[in-house]
Amino acid sequence: MNSANLHIDRSWTLFLDRDGVINRRITGVYVKTPEEFELLPGVGGAIAELGQLFGRIVVVSNQQGIGRGLMTEADLARVHRKMTQEVESLGGRIDAIFYSPHLEADRSFMRKPGVGMGLAARRRFPEIRFRRCLMAGDTLSDMIFGRRLGMVTTLITQTPETARRHAARVDLWFPCLPALAAFIRTKTLF
């Protein structure tokens, strides 16, 4: 994908992974409580800016901590309530959150890289056209999810090595969501 051909307007939808993109990923464990949720630096402002550029912002997140019995859906709802409140307090919005509680071993259609959460988002928002969507995530699973649905894929990582190794799955890469927002600002049509 040639980034020069990327022209974002309000007909586009932004899909975001959660851990490692919106909030600090806790290596080896799960964000199980609101107290463990930590918005990454600049992300609230970036989501506010992206909300002015994209028609919809949708979070899609694998949450196998539920499937492992380490947290409940009510625990996750409290974490997501904190996330949306923090984003809203900084002028941003999240239109919907979809999650998969399934274990990786379940090979569920709903768990990324399966496309179930994307299809659920389109059912909720029928105006979504996957060719006019951008998926921003920090794992190869996120990139496969986006590619399977025909989205523009954006890897959020501090190093470009994964993006280079998987160039067929990664259209763009940035070190953080604020860097993506700065780039997208230059690619919008008004």
Side-chain angles (χ1 to χ4, degrees):
M1 192 250 143
N2 182 342
S3 65
N5 297 330
L6 183 64
H7 299 288
I8 303 297
D9 62 28
R10 301 277 301 164
S11 69
W12 282 66
T13 298
L14 175 62
F15 281 80
L16 295 172
D17 178 45
R18 194 192 80 181
D19 298 324
V21 174
I22 296 174
N23 62 283
R24 190 168 313 282
R25 179 182 294 280
I26 303 174
T27 307
V29 295
Y30 301 95
V31 176
K32 301 178 293 302
T33 67
E35 295 75 28
E36 294 172 335
F37 180 87
E38 180 185 347
L39 205 61
L40 287 168
V43 163
I47 292 176
E49 182 174 0
L50 291 164
Q52 298 300 311
L53 307 174
F54 286 83
R56 296 261 179 231
I57 297 180
V58 176
V59 173
V60 286
S61 183
N62 289 339
Q63 293 294 321
Q64 76 174 350
I66 294 170
R68 289 186 173 182
L70 302 174
M71 58 194 289
T72 66
E73 292 195 56
D75 294 331
L76 183 62
R78 284 188 289 278
V79 170
H80 285 165
R81 193 166 27 259
K82 179 178 182 185
M83 175 180 69
T84 56
Q85 287 171 346
E86 286 191 22
V87 167
E88 287 170 2
S89 75
L90 296 166
R93 74 171 201 289
I94 294 172
D95 296 304
I97 302 168
F98 296 89
Y99 65 91
S100 170
H102 305 92
L103 298 172
E104 186 174 358
D106 294 341
R107 298 192 184 277
S108 171
F109 177 70
M110 292 303 290
R111 182 180 166 77
K112 292 180 290 178
V115 298
M117 287 187 280
L119 296 177
R122 188 171 62 186
R123 275 191 302 278
R124 181 158 174 196
F125 303 112
E127 72 276 10
I128 289 176
R129 297 293 173 260
F130 292 125
R131 296 263 176 232
R132 296 182 77 73
C133 292
L134 187 147
M135 174 65 208
D138 67 332
T139 67
L140 190 55
S141 161
D142 296 320
M143 300 301 96
I144 295 168
F145 165 84
R147 183 63 77 228
R148 285 177 174 170
L149 290 167
M151 298 180 187
V152 174
T153 57
T154 304
L155 185 65
I156 304 297
T157 180
Q158 291 294 316
T159 60
E161 292 142 13
T162 301
R164 286 188 196 126
R165 279 195 315 269
H166 300 283
R169 293 185 172 131
V170 178
D171 294 315
L172 305 166
W173 77 268
F174 295 93
C176 58
L177 197 61
L180 170 63
F183 173 80
I184 294 294
R185 186 181 332 111
T186 69
K187 300 296 178 183
T188 57
L189 295 176
F190 294 99

